[in-house]
């Protein structure tokens, strides 16, 4: 059974990316619907795709507030694949969006009235919501000419931006440490020694002949002196290690490839009797 999956995205660019991914996954372009501008027929179109009227009103309100709606019609065996693609950054809960809008005065669907959504319209909604119905409105791009539905092929072009970042190329580490080594020097030292000698006196020397009273008390004191080695150290700089970092500028050419979307438009309506092929930039 055919089902439709719907998702509301915050802007047209994000929705366009999703459409491209769906096509790359093999979803037929004719099964994808893309809504980016408000339309009086939007609610009816969604209901025709199986979206409940209350949800259709909410989706229409999201589109009016700047969002873009994608709906995909798919078979049961494709639902999981489609949902995986639709569930991307930027998708929001529809219930949360409705709560926010109601706080601003939006009243939602009223079965007693036949008009469109009521309430205040304004700032672009910053998100999207997704729903799966029994006959779900999944991202479906209808054929050109359907009222209120846009056929959109995003034209993208990449630009090359070259920045800079610092990277390390190794480092130089210098660490000083103190080591000891044995040294020796020779020095001549003087040492005094006092010797005491007793010797006999020979001959006929008499007491008192030496010019002093031999019985007088006397004290003789002689000090021994000597030299000892004294060590002192003096530090002097014999060499220097200088570390400096030089900076040089160089110009490097960075080469890469960028992608660009090109679109060829084939018009086989035989206008003025000839067929024409227009490129995306308008040249013929």
């Amino acid at each position: 059974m055919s089902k439709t999956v719907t998702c509301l995205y915050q802007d047209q660019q994000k929705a366009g990316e999703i459409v491209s991914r769906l096509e790359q996954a093999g979803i037929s372009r004719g099964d994808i619907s893309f809504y980016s501008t408000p339309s009086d027929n939007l609610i009816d179109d969604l209901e025709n795709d199986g979206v409940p009227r209350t949800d259709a009103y909410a989706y229409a309100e999201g589109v009016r507030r700047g969002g873009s709606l994608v709906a995909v019609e798919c078979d049961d065996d494709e639902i999981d694949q489609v949902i995986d693609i639709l569930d991307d950054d930027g998708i929001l809960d529809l219930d949360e969006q409705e709560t926010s809008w109601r706080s601003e005065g939006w009243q939602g669907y009223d079965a007693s009235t036949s008009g469109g959504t009521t309430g205040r319209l304004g700032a672009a909604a910053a998100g999207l919501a997704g729903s799966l119905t029994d006959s779900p409105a999944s991202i479906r791009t209808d054929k050109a000419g359907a009222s209120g539905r846009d056929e959109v092929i995003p034209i993208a072009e990449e630009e090359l931006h070259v920045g800079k970042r610092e990277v390390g190329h190794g480092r130089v580490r210098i660490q000083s440490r103190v080591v000891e080594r044995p040294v020796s020097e020779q020095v001549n030292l003087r040492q005094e020694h006092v010797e005491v000698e007793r010797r006999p006196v020979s001959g006929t020397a008499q007491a008192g002949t030496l010019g002093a009273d031999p019985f007088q008390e006397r004290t003789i004191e002689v000090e021994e002196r000597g030299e000892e080695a004294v060590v002192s150290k003096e530090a002097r700089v014999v060499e220097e290690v200088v570390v400096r970092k030089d900076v040089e500028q160089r110009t490097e050419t960075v080469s890469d490839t960028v992608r660009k979307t090109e679109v060829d438009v084939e018009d086989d309506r035989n206008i003025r009797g000839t067929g024409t092929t227009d490129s995306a930039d308008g040249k013929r």
Side-chain angles (χ1 to χ4, degrees), residues 38-39 42-43 46 55-65 69 117:
S39 169
L42 175 56
I43 295 175
L46 291 175
D55 288 347
Y57 268 71
Y59 284 129
E61 180 68 9
V63 172
R64 286 189 178 92
R65 290 174 176 256
L69 178 65
T117 59

Side-chain angles (χ1 to χ4, degrees), residues 29-253:
R29 182 71 178 177
D31 293 333
I32 304 174
S33 296
F34 183 95
Y35 305 88
S36 62
T37 57
S39 169
D40 293 338
N41 298 325
L42 175 56
I43 295 175
D44 293 335
D45 290 341
L46 291 175
E47 284 191 292
N48 292 335
D49 285 336
V51 178
R53 191 164 187 80
T54 54
D55 288 347
Y57 268 71
Y59 284 129
E61 180 68 9
V63 172
R64 286 189 178 92
R65 290 174 176 256
S68 292
L69 178 65
V70 177
V72 180
E73 184 177 349
C74 56
D75 295 330
D76 290 341
D77 57 351
E78 297 177 319
I79 290 179
D80 291 340
Q81 179 186 17
V82 170
I83 292 178
D84 287 342
I85 297 175
L86 297 179
D87 187 11
D88 200 345
D89 293 339
I91 193 170
L92 300 180
D93 192 312
L94 185 59
D95 293 335
E96 293 180 359
Q97 295 299 298
E98 290 186 82
T99 300
S100 175
W101 299 337
R102 291 181 188 278
S103 67
E104 300 174 359
W106 181 69
Q107 299 177 19
Y109 170 66
D110 186 352
S112 64
T113 64
S114 59
T117 59
T118 62
R120 195 170 56 202
L121 302 179
L128 56 123
S131 73
L132 176 63
T133 65
D134 289 338
S135 182
S138 266
I139 305 177
R140 150 170 212 241
T141 309
D142 289 331
K143 294 180 173 54
S147 176
R149 302 186 180 183
D150 298 332
E151 286 284 347
V152 176
I153 297 179
I155 306 298
E157 182 174 355
E158 292 182 334
E159 295 181 354
L160 182 65
H161 299 280
V162 180
K164 297 187 295 184
R165 64 184 176 91
E166 291 188 355
V167 295
H169 293 288
R171 64 179 60 187
V172 176
R173 177 180 299 166
I174 299 176
Q175 181 177 358
S176 65
R177 62 181 183 275
V178 178
V179 298
E180 295 183 353
R181 62 183 179 87
V183 296
S184 61
E185 295 285 346
Q186 291 186 345
V187 59
N188 293 324
L189 303 176
R190 183 175 62 85
Q191 186 67 45
E192 296 178 344
H193 299 282
V194 176
E195 295 182 359
V196 178
E197 180 184 357
R198 299 181 67 170
R199 60 187 181 188
V201 177
S202 59
T204 58
Q206 299 293 326
T209 58
L210 297 178
D213 185 357
F215 296 103
Q216 180 183 1
E217 292 183 356
R218 301 177 62 187
T219 300
I220 300 175
E221 185 176 296
V222 179
E223 180 183 3
E224 289 185 347
R225 301 185 66 84
E227 296 176 336
E228 63 180 13
V230 178
V231 177
S232 63
K233 300 177 183 178
E234 177 185 3
R236 60 189 183 91
V237 179
V238 296
E239 188 179 2
E240 290 181 335
V241 176
V242 180
V243 180
R244 71 170 57 88
K245 182 165 63 173
D246 295 329
V247 179
E248 63 177 14
Q249 297 287 342
R250 62 187 178 88
T251 301
E252 181 175 335
T253 300

